[in-house]
C-alpha cells in the first residue's frame, strides 16, 4: 500500500466516522429561510461577507471554541448566534434588512485568508467538530467542512481535518486543502459529496492559496484566477538537477510551470547558473487574470542571492513564458502591494510607500518613494485600488484611506498624497481580514467581537475631516429601554447584551 493511498484511506475513514457521529448526535433541520437567488453572480467569495445578487451572507462575529464544552454547544440549531452565518437583503442604499440566521452553527478557522463561499444554492463553511474523546472532551481542534443550502436546509458534511490553521479553498466542484505536505481535494456535485478525499500532489514544500472572489454561474470557461501555486523538490533522478519546481492547480491535474529545463537550451536541463529555487511571494488580481510574484535564487554563480520577479497569467490556465517575466528587484521583497505589473511593485517599509520599477535590460534598479510622505503608524494594508490610486489601510485599529501615492512616486511634481482617518472604531485585524462589499467595510470589532458594517461616504475626502463614519452591527438592532439610544443588537448573546447595556446605559430618570 502506497503512502499516498494510506493518507486517502485515512481521510475517507474520517469522513465516514464524522458522518456517522453527525447523524446520531444532531439534527440538521433548519429553515427554510426566505430569500436568496442561486442563479445570481457571487461577489467577494472566500471572506467574512459574501454577496449573491441582492443578498448578503456573513459571519456574525468571532466566538471562542472555549465556549464549546459539550457537543450540543455547537449542534446545528443549538449553537450560539455569535459565530453563526447570517443572511440579509441588501437595499439600494446598502442597508441590510430581512436578517435571519441561515447557518446556526459556529464558523471557525484560524486561517487568516479563510471565509465563507457561495456557489449556486450552497454556502460552504468550516466549523469545529462536536466529536468527543474518551473522556468526553469536545475535540474542537478538528474542523468539519460543510455546505448548507442558501435557505438553511439540506446541510451536508464534506470532510473533517485536524488543525484550525489548515489552508483551504472551496471551488465550484471541490474543497482543496493543504495538510502535512500534501494537497488534498474532496469533490462534490450539485447533489452529492465524494466519500473519499484524493491526493492532488504530495511532498510539497510550500503552497500559496488563491481564489477567484467572483463566481458567475453562467460562465462556462475556467480562469487562471481559480489556481493555487505550490513548490516542491524535483523528482528527477538526473545528477545535474538543482533548485525546485513550481506548479499550479485548480483541483485538476497539476500544471508544471518551472523546472530545471525552463532556462535551459532547447528543453534541456540548464547549467547550475540557470537553475533556480523558486519562492512564491503573493498573487495579485488583475481584471483579466493574475500576477504571480516570486523570487529566484540561482543554484550557483558569483551572486546567487534571491531576486524578485513578477509574471502575469491570463486565460483559462497559467502557462509560464520566461520571456514575459518581469524583474522587479535585486533583492527579495516582502509585503508586496499589487499596483499592476506594468507599474512595478509597491512595498510599505518603515511606513513609506516605495515603488520598485521594472528593471530594464541594462539592469538598473529604480526605486521611487512617495516623496516626503509616510503613513502614520504601522499599517495593515486591506486593499489598493489601481484605477483610483487609493490605498485602504488600518493603523491602531482605525481605518485610513490615502490617495495619490502611485502618482507621487511616478511624478515628483505631483501633489502630495492625501490621507484621512475614516473611523475611530476599534477594528480587529487578528482574525479574518476586514473586507469591502459595495463600498462598505465589514469587520470584527474589538469590543464585542461581532461583525460590524461601516459606510464610507463617497465625499469624505473632500472636506478633509477625519472620523467621518461609525460602524454598526451588521445583523441589526431591536428596541430596548435599557440603552442610551433605545436600541440593542438583536442577534447577540444575552451575556454580550448585558455588556452592551453597561457600555451604553439609558440616562437615569430625574
Amino acid at each position: 500500500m502506497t503512502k499516498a493511498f494510506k493518507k486517502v484511506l485515512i481521510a475517507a475513514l474520517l469522513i465516514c466516522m464524522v458522518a456517522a457521529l453527525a447523524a446520531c448526535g444532531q439534527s440538521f433541520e433548519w429553515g427554510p429561510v426566505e430569500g436568496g437567488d442561486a442563479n445570481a453572480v457571487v461577489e467577494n467569495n472566500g471572506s467574512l461577507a459574501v454577496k449573491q445578487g441582492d443578498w448578503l451572507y456573513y459571519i456574525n462575529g468571532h466566538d471562542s471554541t472555549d465556549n464549546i464544552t459539550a457537543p450540543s454547544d455547537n449542534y446545528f440549531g443549538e449553537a450560539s448566534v455569535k459565530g453563526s452565518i447570517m443572511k440579509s437583503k441588501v437595499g439600494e442604499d446598502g442597508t441590510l434588512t430581512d436578517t435571519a440566521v441561515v447557518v446556526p452553527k459556529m464558523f471557525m478557522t484560524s486561517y487568516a485568508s479563510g471565509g465563507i463561499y457561495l456557489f449556486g444554492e450552497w454556502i460552504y463553511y468550516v466549523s469545529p467538530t462536536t466529536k468527543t474523546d474518551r473522556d468526553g472532551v469536545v475535540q474542537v481542534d478538528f474542523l468539519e467542512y460543510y455546505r448548507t443550502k442558501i435557505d438553511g436546509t439540506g446541510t451536508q458534511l464534506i470532510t473533517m481535518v485536524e488543525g484550525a490553521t489548515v489552508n483551504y479553498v472551496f471551488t465550484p466542484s471541490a474543497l482543496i486543502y493543504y495538510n502535512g505536505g500534501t494537497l488534498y481535494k474532496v469533490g462534490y456535485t450539485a447533489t452529492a459529496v465524494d466519500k473519499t478525499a484524493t491526493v492532488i500532489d504530495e511532498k510539497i514544500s510550500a503552497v500559496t492559496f488563491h481564489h477567484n472572489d467572483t463566481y458567475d454561474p453562467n460562465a462556462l470557461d475556467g480562469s487562471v484566477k481559480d489556481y493555487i501555486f505550490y513548490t516542491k523538490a524535483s523528482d528527477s533522478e538526473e545528477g545535474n538537477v538543482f533548485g525546485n519546481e513550481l506548479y499550479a492547480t485548480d483541483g485538476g491535474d497539476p500544471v508544471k510551470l518551472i523546472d530545471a529545463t525552463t532556462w535551459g537550451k532547447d528543453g534541456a536541463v540548464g547549467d547550475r547558473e540557470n537553475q533556480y529555487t523558486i519562492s512564491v511571494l503573493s498573487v495579485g488580481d488583475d481584471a483579466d487574470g493574475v500576477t504571480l510574484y516570486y523570487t529566484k535564487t540561482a543554484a550557483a554563480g558569483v551572486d546567487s542571492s534571491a531576486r524578485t520577479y513578477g509574471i502575469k497569467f491570463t486565460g483559462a490556465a497559467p502557462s509560464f513564458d520566461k520571456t514575459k517575466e518581469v524583474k522587479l528587484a535585486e533583492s527579495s521583497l516582502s509585503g508586496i502591494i499589487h499596483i499592476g505589473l506594468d507599474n512595478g511593485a509597491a512595498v510599505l517599509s518603515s511606513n513609506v510607500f516605495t515603488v520598485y520599477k521594472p528593471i530594464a535590460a541594462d539592469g538598473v534598479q529604480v526605486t521611487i518613494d512617495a516623496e516626503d510622505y509616510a503613513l502614520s503608524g504601522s499599517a495593515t494594508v486591506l486593499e489598493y485600488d489601481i484605477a483610483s490610486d487609493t490605498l485602504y489601510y488600518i493603523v491602531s485599529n482605525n481605518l485610513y484611506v490615502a490617495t495619490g501615492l502611485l502618482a507621487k512616486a511616478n511624478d515628483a511634481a505631483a501633489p502630495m498624497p492625501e490621507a484621512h482617518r475614516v473611523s475611530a472604531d476599534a477594528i480587529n485585524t487578528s482574525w479574518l481580514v476586514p473586507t469591502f462589499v459595495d463600498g462598505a467595510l465589514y469587520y470584527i470589532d474589538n469590543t464585542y467581537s461581532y461583525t460590524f458594517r461601516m459606510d464610507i461616504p463617497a465625499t469624505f475626502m473632500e472636506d478633509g475631516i477625519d472620523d467621518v463614519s461609525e460602524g454598526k452591527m451588521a445583523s441589526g438592532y431591536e428596541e430596548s429601554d435599557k440603552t442610551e439610544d433605545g436600541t440593542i443588537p438583536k442577534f447577540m448573546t444575552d451575556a454580550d447584551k448585558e455588556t452592551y447595556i453597561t457600555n451604553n446605559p439609558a440616562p437615569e430618570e430625574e
Side-chain angles (χ1 to χ4, degrees), residues 15 19 72 104 133 177 258 262 271 297 304 323 373 378 396 398 409 466:
I15 294 174
S72 59
D133 63 12
Y177 63 94
I258 293 174
T262 301
D271 54 33
T297 306
S304 59
T323 66
Y373 180 82
S378 179
S396 300
N398 295 318
D466 292 345

Side-chain angles (χ1 to χ4, degrees), residues 448-508:
Y448 304 101
S449 294
Y450 285 86
T451 298
F452 275 51
R453 177 182 183 276
M454 179 193 301
D455 286 311
I456 303 176
T459 58
F460 85 94
M461 291 291 286
E462 296 177 3
D463 56 22
I465 300 174
D466 292 345
D467 300 335
V468 297
S469 194
E470 179 182 358
K472 297 290 186 181
M473 191 160 167
S475 55
Y477 297 79
E478 59 186 1
E479 293 184 358
S480 172
D481 59 3
K482 298 180 180 180
T483 62
E484 184 177 9
D485 66 356
T487 66
I488 194 169
K490 182 177 181 180
F491 294 94
M492 185 180 258
T493 66
D494 290 340
D496 288 335
K497 284 184 177 181
E498 289 300 320
T499 302
Y500 187 90
I501 292 169
T502 300
N503 292 340
N504 304 274
E508 297 182 4

